[in-house]
């Protein structure tokens, strides 16, 4: 915590997080209320007066900068993420191979058991 509460404004990351929180509140509550009261369509394809609302939605993308800060502060986390991505690829292909093997054996068992007691059920 800060000894003097005005020192909060000197911490750039705290100010950045506060701006992100303010834009989330603005989009969630204020924009929804504005759209409800005015009946303005919030779709991106409309050409009406919602261009300011679209701008606020684009500002949400600045949340990605917070993730960049965490990755810069913890380079070991980036190494772990790269390892996970490499593992996800091999796990995905192993899963596909297992599904294919199960599918082939299910067809084989179905055809082999057609004239038996098990196949008649």
């Amino acid at each position: 915590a800060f000894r003097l509460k005005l020192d909060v404004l000197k911490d750039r990351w705290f100010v950045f997080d506060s701006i992100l929180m303010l834009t989330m509140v603005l989009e969630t509550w204020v924009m929804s209320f504005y759209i409800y009261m005015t009946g303005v369509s919030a779709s991106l394809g409309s050409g009406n007066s919602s261009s300011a609302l679209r701008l606020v939605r684009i500002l949400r993308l600045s949340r990605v900068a917070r993730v960049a800060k965490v990755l810069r502060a913890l380079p070991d986390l980036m190494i772990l993420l790269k390892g996970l991505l490499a593992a996800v690829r091999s796990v995905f292909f192993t899963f596909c191979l297992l599904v294919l093997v199960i599918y082939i054996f299910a067809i084989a068992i179905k055809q082999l058991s057609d004239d038996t007691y098990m196949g008649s059920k």
Side-chain angles (χ1 to χ4, degrees):
F2 293 97
R3 191 175 302 270
L4 295 172
K5 300 305 177 193
L6 288 177
D7 287 343
V8 167
L9 299 175
K10 294 177 184 174
D11 186 13
R12 292 181 185 193
W13 283 112
F14 185 84
V15 172
F16 179 69
D17 287 340
S18 299
I19 291 170
L20 286 180
M21 186 268 314
L22 188 66
T23 57
M24 284 187 270
V25 168
L26 180 71
E27 182 198 6
T28 304
W29 297 101
V30 177
M31 277 182 45
S32 299
F33 182 73
Y34 175 76
I35 289 169
Y36 176 74
M37 294 303 287
T38 61
V40 172
S41 172
S43 65
L44 291 175
S46 64
N48 51 16
S49 64
S50 65
S51 62
L53 299 177
R54 283 184 263 149
L55 178 65
V56 172
R57 286 187 181 217
I58 291 173
L59 287 177
R60 283 189 328 168
L61 294 175
S62 62
R63 287 185 232 169
V64 175
R66 184 70 176 153
V67 174
K69 178 202 173 209
V70 171
L71 291 178
R72 210 173 341 131
L74 301 170
D76 297 338
L77 183 63
M78 193 62 186
I79 293 170
L80 286 173
L81 286 176
K82 286 179 183 178
L84 279 173
L85 287 176
V88 165
R89 183 172 182 247
S90 63
V91 168
F92 172 74
F93 288 118
T94 304
F95 175 74
C96 290
L97 183 63
L98 284 172
V99 168
L100 183 67
V101 167
I102 289 172
Y103 183 72
I104 290 170
F105 275 97
I107 291 172
I109 289 174
K110 176 67 176 158
Q111 288 183 354
L112 290 174
S113 67
D114 271 344
D115 296 332
T116 64
Y117 175 74
M118 183 179 72
S120 63
K121 283 188 172 190

